[in-house]
């Protein structure tokens, strides 16, 4: 994952490209996605002046292979078909504009009300997700973001199951300069969280990030363990955890929707973090999830560097996907 | 695993069977639905296209329309095509030639390589091999620690990699040390990497050239979407891997990746990971998996699992006791622990043909904790009580409930069920596994 080969970060040097604006960096990170999705759209429209059945078929293929999912794809294609029938759409350029607009609409989510920590109390954020999506790495990156804002950050090693998970988090803690609260492997994660919340209050920490063990959303007992962690945190510090973020792997297919649904049902999610967008995965699941569940996307991971975690902005995201 | 796809296909098949005669148009309708079911299951778009075309060619041909049971014929064709897609016959690990054999695991970040290394080592040891593990992931923090801890849990040696050396030299050095562990198989855990990361992909090529692995296994997450084929295709182009391991199959992943990767790379699926425990690695059988997807169960795997886990001697003793009508609570407890060894109840049920279609069973999520409760209750009984449950009166029940952290009703229920079961068992004097289903009730 994030590497020692990346010496510049260890020394705390900012990469040179820092000067370029956020928008272009986001675009750069999403280049692969764009090449995948719009690159193909462009080729599809090349030389076509009219929308015919063949073009709609090919459009369907593009939407499906971008992991947009059956439901979202169907809705988009239906929209285009209707537009064509009503003669609102009669050329590929309009079609593209209509698609973009609809996707932005799917991605634009009114932020639901969130619990705020009381003055003087730490903001407690819990990160959850299935195995291998990059929770621990993401916590490291989120910690760095808060650190840059001048916040005092603490990490809680709530993954007591995976071998050496606490060690991994401890290394991150050292890198970004955050205290790490941990116990032995196999310890009750709720106990770790109880300790961490007490310590965060005692040491006047601004942000406490809780790492949890990866778990498949279908495992009932492991999902109950999460509820317990939640209850324990809330008991120690009423209102905590204030935020629960689900970390999703961009290479995941339709299963991501099932993951989001079940985690949301059990804990109530406040945000999503989409990792690994720097590969060739199209990241289309975001559209499907936003459309279906209305959970805002907080951050996207577009690279392995410490600062490759970007705040998500629906408009910028769609803009970057669709820019020529 | 595959439940979603399996449910959908079964619904479609039911409709197909309902048609007394099939004509081109209702076959087309069914194919449309099968296509959507496969797409929803993350099977790659192009793979679906080919598959549907193949099924269509055969289903609309004479083979089906002239048959007396056209619905069955269509299902048979789908089954055959799915099996073909997943690779036909089971392919074993290739361990021939000079020892030590080298097995190298590669894949994206977070696909489960490190855990799978541990599982594979355990699997090989069960087969009489002497594996050792080589951590070559110097990038992810604490990855080496993770493998070392897994090795310690399994009591399998782990090479002490020196991070400073870099992955290539680590592997070369490890290979020269194989003799020290008197090992015949060396398993390399490589760092996760993106298929488009040229530098890191080249590193794998160098390792491959230097240590000449007999198996390069591509580890993929069963939940991967349409991108699976791009990733697998690229890894295969660069490394020419020899097989695939699909992880995290125990969730509700629709498993489309399983169907697609093989089709795109032409390489066989060799194992699937079905749990977080280190023994949760199963050999992959394409035909059995196809019948599981089609809801036809997988009795063969169940029997093999039972043979592997059941203690034959214990079973014999039990059988004798049953015949002599001396089956008591102590035996019951032993039998429970044997069943538990088979793995999660839900998985076992999934392997029994037809279980998927029974509605009542769908909602019956077997509760593992119920088993734990039963065990706790029996453990809180005296030996005398276990041998003769009839002596357990009210005050004994109270004591047992207290001791096991349950309540008297739980104890009552257990005793009632046990009495009924005993009666039933005494009626059926058949042997062995025939008695097992009674325990699930």
């Amino acid at each position: 994952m994030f590497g020692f080969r990346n010496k510049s970060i260890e020394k705390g040097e900012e990469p040179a490209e820092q000067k370029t604006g956020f928008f272009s960096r986001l675009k750069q990170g999403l280049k692969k996605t764009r090449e995948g999705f719009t690159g193909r759209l462009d080729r599809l429209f090349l030389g076509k002046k009219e929308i015919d059945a063949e073009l709609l078929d090919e459009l369907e293929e593009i939407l499906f292979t971008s992991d947009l999912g059956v439901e979202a794809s169907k809705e988009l294609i239906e929209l285009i078909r209707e537009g064509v029938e009503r003669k609102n759409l009669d050329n590929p350029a309009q079609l593209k504009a209509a698609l973009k607009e609809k996707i932005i609409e799917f991605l634009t989510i009114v932020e639901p009300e969130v619990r705020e920590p009381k003055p003087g109390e730490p903001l407690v954020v819990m990160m959850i997700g299935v195995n291998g999506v990059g929770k621990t790495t993401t916590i490291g990156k989120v910690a760095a973001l808060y650190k840059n804002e001048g916040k005092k950050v603490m990490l809680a090693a709530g993954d007591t199951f995976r071998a050496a998970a606490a060690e991994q988090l401890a290394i991150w803690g050292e890198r970004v300069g955050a205290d790490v609260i941990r116990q032995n492997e196999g310890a009750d994660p709720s106990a770790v969280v109880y300790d961490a919340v007490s310590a965060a209050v005692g040491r006047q920490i601004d942000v406490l990030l809780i790492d949890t063990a990866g778990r498949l959303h279908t495992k009932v007992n492991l999902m109950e363990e999460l509820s317990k962690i939640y209850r324990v945190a809330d008991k120690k510090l009423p209102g905590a955890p204030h935020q629960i973020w689900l970390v999703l792997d961009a290479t995941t297919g339709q299963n991501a929707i099932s993951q989001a649904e079940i985690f949301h049902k059990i804990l109530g999610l406040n945000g999503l973090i989409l990792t690994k967008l720097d590969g060739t995965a199209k990241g289309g699941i975001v559209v499907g999830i936003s459309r279906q569940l209305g959970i805002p996307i907080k951050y996207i991971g577009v690279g392995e560097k410490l600062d490759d975690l970007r705040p998500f902005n629906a408009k910028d995201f769609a803009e970057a996907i669709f820019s020529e | 695993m595959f439940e979603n796809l399996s449910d959908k296909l079964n619904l479609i098949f039911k409709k197909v069977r309902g048609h007394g005669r099939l004509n081109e148009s209702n076959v087309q309708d069914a194919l449309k639905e099968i296509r959507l079911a496969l797409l929803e299951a993350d099977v790659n778009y192009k793979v679906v296209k080919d598959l549907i075309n193949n099924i269509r060619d055969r289903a609309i041909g004479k083979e089906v329309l002239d048959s007396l049971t056209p619905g069955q014929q269509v299902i048979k064709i789908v089954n055959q095509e799915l099996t073909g897609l997943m690779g036909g016959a089971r392919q074993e690990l290739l361990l021939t030639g000079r020892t030590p054999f080298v097995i190298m695991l590669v894949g994206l970040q977070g696909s489960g390589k490190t855990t799978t290394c541990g599982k594979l080592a355990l699997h090989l040891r069960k087969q009489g091999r002497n594996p050792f593990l080589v951590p070559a992931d110097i990038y992810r923090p604490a990855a080496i620690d993770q493998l070392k801890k897994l090795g310690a849990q399994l009591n399998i040696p782990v090479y002490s990699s020196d991070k400073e050396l870099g992955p290539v030299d680590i592997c070369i050095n490890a290979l020269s040390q194989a003799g020290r562990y008197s090992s015949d198989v060396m398993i390399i855990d490589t760092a996760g990497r993106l298929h488009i990361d040229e530098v890191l992909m080249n590193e794998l090529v160098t390792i491959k050239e230097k240590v000449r692995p007999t198996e390069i296994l591509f580890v993929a997450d069963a939940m991967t979407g349409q991108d699976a084929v791009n990733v697998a295709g690229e890894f295969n182009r660069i490394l020419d891997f020899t097989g695939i391991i699909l992880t995290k199959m125990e969730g509700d992943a629709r498993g489309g990746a399983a169907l697609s990767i093989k089709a795109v790379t032409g390489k066989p699926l060799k194992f699937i990971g079905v749990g977080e425990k280190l023994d949760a690695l199963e050999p992959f059988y394409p035909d059995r998996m196809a019948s599981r997807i089609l809801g036809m169960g997988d009795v063969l795997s169940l029997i093999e699992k039972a043979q592997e886990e059941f203690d034959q001697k214990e079973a014999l003793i039990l059988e004798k006791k049953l015949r002599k009508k001396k089956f008591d609570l102590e035996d019951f407890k032993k039998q429970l622990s044997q069943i538990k060894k088979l793995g999660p109840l839900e998985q076992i049920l999934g392997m029994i043909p037809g279980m998927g279609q029974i509605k009542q069973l769908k909602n019956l999520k077997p509760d593992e904790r119920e088993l734990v409760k039963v065990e706790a209750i029996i453990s809180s009984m005296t030996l005398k009580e276990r041998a003769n449950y009839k002596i357990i009166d009210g005050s004994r029940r109270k004591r047992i409930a207290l001791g096991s952290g349950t309540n008297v009703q739980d104890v009552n229920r257990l005793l009632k069920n046990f009495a009924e079961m005993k009666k039933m068992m005494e009626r059926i004097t058949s042997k062995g596994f025939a008695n097992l289903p009674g325990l699930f009730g």
Side-chain angles (χ1 to χ4, degrees):
Chain A
M1 219 160 260
F2 186 101
F4 288 106
R5 63 207 141 92
N6 224 326
K7 296 282 189 234
S8 66
I9 273 114
E10 274 177 71
K11 289 183 210 138
E13 286 168 18
E14 290 297 333
E17 61 220 291
Q18 182 66 29
K19 278 190 204 111
T20 49
F22 161 76
F23 184 65
S24 64
R25 296 223 48 196
L26 177 62
K27 248 166 59 176
Q28 196 189 335
L30 285 170
K31 220 174 98 201
K32 293 277 153 27
T33 311
R34 203 172 71 242
E35 274 165 6
F37 189 69
T38 44
R40 289 167 59 210
L41 271 183
D42 284 339
R43 251 174 287 139
L44 172 58
F45 295 137
L46 205 68
K48 288 217 180 189
K49 296 246 164 58
E50 281 170 32
I51 300 167
D52 53 18
E54 193 194 342
L55 191 117
L56 284 175
D57 267 2
E58 284 171 45
L59 181 67
E60 188 204 56
E61 175 174 350
I62 291 172
L63 296 177
F64 272 122
T65 52
S66 306
D67 282 322
L68 255 83
V70 173
E71 292 303 317
S73 300
K74 265 197 205 157
E75 193 174 333
L76 286 168
I77 289 167
E78 209 37 57
L79 178 92
I80 301 299
R81 195 163 281 155
E82 266 174 35
V84 173
E85 270 167 24
R86 287 203 213 119
K87 313 246 189 253
N88 293 338
L89 298 174
D90 58 4
N91 66 61
Q94 282 176 357
L95 188 153
K96 203 165 150 183
L99 269 181
K100 181 169 140 187
E101 196 184 314
K102 192 71 189 170
I103 289 179
I104 292 180
E105 191 191 311
F106 284 154
L107 287 170
T108 308
I109 285 158
V110 186
E111 282 266 349
E113 239 178 272
V114 291
R115 291 180 298 269
E116 300 269 348
K118 293 186 198 93
E121 286 179 356
L123 170 73
V124 180
V125 181
M126 189 164 147
M127 303 273 208
I128 58 179
V130 301
N131 318 64
V133 290
K135 278 177 300 302
T136 309
T137 308
T138 303
I139 285 197
K141 290 181 183 173
V142 173
L145 280 180
Y146 279 116
K147 220 39 205 183
N148 285 344
E149 288 176 20
K151 298 264 165 59
K152 246 178 117 181
V153 182
M154 179 185 273
L155 312 178
D159 183 356
T160 54
F161 179 79
R162 179 164 61 93
E167 279 86 343
Q168 190 180 342
L169 195 71
I171 294 173
W172 277 108
E174 245 169 69
R175 274 188 202 166
V176 299
D179 291 352
V180 178
I181 303 295
R182 55 186 279 198
Q183 287 184 12
N184 292 335
E185 227 160 80
D188 181 354
S190 306
V192 178
V193 169
Y194 187 90
D195 281 359
V197 174
S198 321
V201 173
R203 296 184 208 172
Q204 292 178 319
I205 294 289
D206 298 314
V207 182
L208 170 65
L209 302 172
I210 299 173
D211 189 17
T212 61
R215 66 201 71 220
L216 291 180
H217 48 295
T218 50
K219 300 225 165 131
V220 179
N221 52 344
L222 291 180
M223 295 303 276
E224 267 170 26
E225 184 185 85
L226 277 185
S227 312
K228 186 180 169 195
I229 295 176
Y230 183 99
R231 287 196 306 272
V232 166
D234 185 48
K235 201 167 180 190
K236 186 69 204 163
L237 181 69
H242 310 93
Q243 295 264 315
I244 296 172
W245 293 344
L246 177 70
V247 184
L248 287 170
D249 180 335
T251 54
T252 313
Q254 299 311 299
N255 192 254
I257 293 183
S258 161
Q259 290 170 25
E261 252 172 7
I262 296 179
F263 278 109
H264 189 46
K265 202 174 101 198
I266 290 183
L267 287 173
L269 302 173
N270 307 99
L272 303 173
I273 298 179
L274 193 68
T275 61
K276 307 186 198 176
L277 262 173
D278 47 332
T280 48
K282 317 294 187 302
I285 40 159
V286 194
V287 178
I289 292 174
S290 302
R291 176 185 162 280
Q292 213 165 313
L293 297 173
I295 305 163
I297 301 144
K298 292 276 172 194
Y299 299 102
I300 51 173
V302 292
E304 303 206 327
K305 279 182 251 146
L306 194 54
D307 60 348
D308 275 337
L309 189 76
R310 315 234 168 278
F312 178 84
N313 176 306
K315 220 168 157 209
D316 285 355
F317 187 86
E319 209 66 53
I321 285 185
F322 279 95
S323 58
E324 307 279 331
Chain B
M1 69 189 85
F2 289 126
E3 274 90 358
N4 279 308
L5 180 57
S6 171
D7 285 353
K8 286 235 163 79
L9 289 179
N10 274 313
L11 259 173
I12 300 168
F13 290 159
K14 217 171 151 189
K15 254 194 239 165
V16 172
R17 265 193 233 108
H19 295 300
R21 291 187 68 85
L22 285 181
N23 54 37
E24 230 179 290
S25 98
N26 52 31
V27 169
Q28 288 284 17
D29 284 348
L31 284 175
K32 248 187 218 160
E33 289 181 48
I34 293 176
R35 173 175 172 273
L36 273 186
L38 291 170
L39 281 172
E40 264 197 325
D42 287 327
V43 182
N44 181 259
Y45 191 87
K46 291 196 182 68
V47 175
V48 173
K49 220 174 188 174
D50 292 346
L51 186 78
I52 292 293
N53 282 340
N54 288 349
I55 298 175
R56 181 182 295 124
D57 286 349
R58 292 179 59 188
I60 294 181
K62 273 200 157 165
E63 203 179 332
V64 169
L65 299 180
D66 291 351
S67 149
L68 283 174
T69 50
Q72 287 296 344
Q73 284 294 335
V74 171
I75 297 168
K76 198 175 131 199
I77 292 172
V78 176
N79 190 7
Q80 284 170 353
E81 290 291 331
L82 278 179
T83 309
L85 200 59
M86 284 190 282
R90 154 114 186 114
Q91 299 223 14
E92 302 284 342
L93 281 181
L94 190 75
L95 298 177
T96 51
R98 275 183 55 202
T99 56
F101 308 112
V102 178
I103 301 176
M104 184 171 153
L105 270 60
V106 300
L108 290 180
Q109 291 95 337
S111 53
K113 283 174 298 303
T114 308
T115 309
T116 306
C117 275
K119 289 179 176 178
L120 196 60
L122 180 66
H123 172 83
L124 286 168
R125 191 175 60 193
K126 274 188 187 166
Q127 296 196 326
R129 300 278 178 184
N130 236 338
F132 83 114
L133 296 162
V134 180
D137 181 357
I138 59 166
Y139 305 117
R140 178 163 60 96
I144 295 181
D145 282 346
Q146 188 184 347
L147 197 66
K148 276 185 183 157
K149 287 193 173 175
L150 289 178
Q153 276 174 39
L154 294 167
N155 201 13
I156 285 173
V158 179
Y159 178 72
S160 50
S161 301
D162 179 0
K163 256 190 197 170
E164 300 299 315
L165 279 181
V168 179
D169 286 327
I170 287 176
C171 294
I172 297 172
N173 289 357
L175 187 59
S176 68
Q177 300 281 313
R180 242 184 58 201
Y181 302 105
S182 51
S183 254
D184 52 359
V185 187
M186 157 169 150
I187 303 173
I188 304 174
D189 179 28
T190 65
R193 65 202 72 212
L194 283 172
H195 50 297
I196 48 172
D197 187 330
E198 258 177 65
V199 179
L200 285 185
M201 288 306 286
N202 278 335
E203 181 191 282
L204 288 180
V205 174
T206 316
I207 296 178
K208 180 186 174 183
E209 280 164 4
K210 298 288 182 196
V211 300
R212 299 178 171 270
T214 52
E215 288 274 3
I216 300 176
L217 300 172
F218 175 68
V219 182
D221 183 329
M223 297 180 281
T224 316
Q226 296 281 332
D227 200 38
V229 296
N230 300 331
V231 179
E234 208 44 23
F235 267 94
N236 191 39
R237 186 182 67 77
I238 296 170
L239 284 169
D240 189 21
F241 58 67
T242 57
I244 302 155
I245 298 181
L246 217 59
T247 60
K248 307 178 208 173
M249 286 284 279
E250 76 273 30
D252 58 354
R254 310 188 184 197
L259 295 162
S260 314
I261 297 180
K262 157 72 182 59
V264 168
T265 61
K267 298 293 165 65
L269 257 153
K270 296 205 167 172
F271 293 95
I272 52 175
V274 292
E276 296 192 34
K277 300 224 176 81
L278 287 167
D279 58 356
L281 185 77
E282 282 181 10
F284 181 80
Y285 294 90
D287 44 344
R288 297 182 193 178
M289 193 52 78
S291 25
R292 255 197 243 183
I293 292 179
L294 297 181
M296 297 170 183
D298 179 8
V299 183
L300 273 177
S301 290
L302 182 60
I303 292 172
E304 271 168 26
K305 221 169 169 181
Q307 276 170 345
E308 197 178 305
E309 297 296 345
F310 272 50
D311 187 332
Q312 294 297 328
K313 259 193 217 154
E314 285 277 332
L316 260 171
I317 296 171
L318 223 94
E319 198 186 309
K320 269 187 199 153
K321 283 200 155 176
L322 276 176
R323 291 232 171 118
K324 288 185 186 156
K325 300 186 180 175
K326 275 190 177 156
F327 184 75
D328 62 21
L329 280 161
E330 180 66 26
D331 303 317
F332 181 48
K333 196 178 137 207
K334 271 188 201 149
Q335 211 171 0
L336 279 183
S337 70
Q338 293 233 7
I339 292 174
K340 264 170 62 186
K341 275 198 244 160
L342 277 182
L345 285 181
E346 230 172 304
Q347 259 178 41
I348 301 175
L349 287 181
M351 290 187 198
I352 301 172
M355 280 298 193
Q357 277 106 298
I358 303 174
K359 260 216 190 108
Q360 293 92 313
L361 279 171
K362 283 245 83 149
N363 303 322
L364 183 145
K365 289 251 167 183
D367 196 347
E368 303 286 331
R369 280 168 309 182
E370 204 55 43
L371 282 187
V372 176
K373 227 185 207 177
V374 169
E375 274 197 307
I377 293 174
I378 300 179
S379 300
S380 298
M381 296 177 183
T382 64
L383 289 178
K384 230 178 173 177
E385 285 165 346
R386 288 182 214 181
N388 182 10
Y389 70 97
K390 283 179 183 151
I391 64 165
I392 305 178
D393 56 14
S395 87
R396 282 179 193 259
R397 285 176 199 215
K398 220 186 242 165
R399 191 206 76 238
I400 291 166
L402 221 58
S404 57
T406 57
N407 53 41
V408 178
Q409 284 94 314
D410 290 325
V411 180
N412 288 342
R413 200 174 328 123
L414 167 68
L415 289 175
K416 197 175 145 222
N417 285 343
F418 178 73
E420 268 169 23
M421 190 178 77
K422 201 167 146 79
K423 235 189 265 162
M424 198 176 74
M425 280 180 159
E426 281 163 7
R427 262 201 308 253
I428 319 165
T429 33
S430 62
K431 38 186 146 165
F433 297 118
N435 289 315
L436 281 178
L439 293 181
F440 293 122

